[in-house]
Amino acid sequence: MPSIGEYYHVYNRGADEMPIFSEPSDYLHFIHLLLVANDLMPLDRRWTRRDIWLPYRKSKLVSIFAYCLMPDHFHLGLMKKASDGINKFIHKLCTAYTMFYNFKYKHSGTIFQGSSKTKHVNEDSYLMYLIQYIHLNPFGIEDPNLLKSAKGDYLNEAIEFSKKYKFSSYKDYLGEKRPQNIIVDVLPLSPVNNAF
């Protein structure tokens, strides 16, 4: 069971590798849910309010230190802050997004490939690697068959491509001011300087 204060990599993909984000509004809805699902209080319709980006959360379930949304999957870097925080957060997040997706696209049933996977981050070096891995995930988005090693082989190209990608927390680590900054707790050891 995940321990409070420890770091985890959580990810999932679309069932049968189907896209879970088809247009920009899908990505933005999921990003909004990253904010509103991260609270001990039950999820409500707060995300529809005009002041969604105001800091209203009393107590967070997790600290989100990195995220990246891809057409058919997502990656989250999380630190547990509350008892069973990761499981509660992921359940709220994925349930709310599935309801949104099913209503919008007239789909029924699950859209995710089973339960989300969770990997414990047990070393600082792995934590820095994870932040880099999550943020460089968009590189090669136009070529799904690109090998994972290409991100290392073409590191500068991967960084430049990922800097422009809107649906990740990389811009938060680069210091770009945007409403989404409220979602991410940028780690003190900035991967911009130490891992990239």
Side-chain angles (χ1 to χ4, degrees), residues 174-192:
L174 295 172
E176 183 176 310
K177 299 298 180 199
R178 58 188 188 148
Q180 295 93 315
N181 292 147
I182 195 171
I183 295 171
V184 178
D185 296 315
V186 174
L187 295 182
L189 296 174
S190 170
V192 173

Side-chain angles (χ1 to χ4, degrees), residues 151-168:
K151 292 176 187 136
D153 296 340
Y154 301 99
L155 184 59
N156 291 334
E157 291 90 339
I159 290 170
E160 289 307 311
F161 185 91
S162 298
K163 281 181 180 178
K164 298 174 190 147
Y165 193 70
K166 296 179 182 178
F167 309 117
S168 85

Side-chain angles (χ1 to χ4, degrees), residues 8-155:
Y8 295 86
H9 177 201
V10 180
Y11 53 97
N12 206 340
R13 66 174 54 253
D16 300 319
E17 298 186 9
M18 72 176 214
I20 53 177
F21 307 111
S22 298
E23 53 188 53
S25 62
D26 298 343
Y27 292 93
L28 293 175
H29 188 83
F30 194 91
I31 289 170
H32 289 169
L33 288 171
L34 288 175
L35 179 65
V36 298
N38 192 11
D39 197 308
L40 286 170
M41 299 300 291
L43 189 61
D44 61 24
R45 305 295 267 173
R46 288 175 291 190
W47 57 267
T48 61
R49 292 178 12 193
R50 296 180 73 188
D51 60 351
I52 182 176
W53 301 114
L54 295 178
Y56 61 84
R57 291 169 298 169
K58 299 291 185 211
S59 49
K60 295 194 278 187
L61 293 164
V62 297
S63 172
I64 302 171
F65 63 85
Y67 70 85
C68 184
L69 312 182
M70 300 288 286
D72 66 350
H73 67 284
F74 67 82
H75 292 275
L76 304 174
L78 305 176
M79 192 258 296
K80 181 179 172 183
K81 293 186 69 88
S83 178
D84 205 26
I86 290 178
N87 290 333
K88 288 177 182 174
F89 172 67
I90 294 299
H91 177 73
K92 288 167 70 174
L93 175 70
C94 291
T95 299
Y97 187 74
T98 298
M99 291 171 66
F100 160 81
Y101 183 96
N102 285 348
F103 179 78
K104 180 176 180 180
Y105 293 106
K106 297 180 178 26
H107 181 270
S108 63
T110 186
I111 62 168
F112 292 107
Q113 185 175 291
S115 299
S116 296
K117 313 300 183 277
T118 303
K119 287 188 179 177
H120 181 238
V121 179
N122 56 2
E123 295 179 2
D124 288 345
S125 60
Y126 181 51
L127 179 61
M128 300 296 12
Y129 166 79
L130 175 61
I131 294 169
Q132 177 177 330
Y133 174 81
I134 289 173
H135 289 146
L136 297 186
N137 215 260
F139 182 61
I141 198 168
E142 293 153 4
D143 182 3
N145 297 319
L146 190 69
L147 298 174
K148 289 181 181 179
S149 62
K151 292 176 187 136
D153 296 340
Y154 301 99
L155 184 59

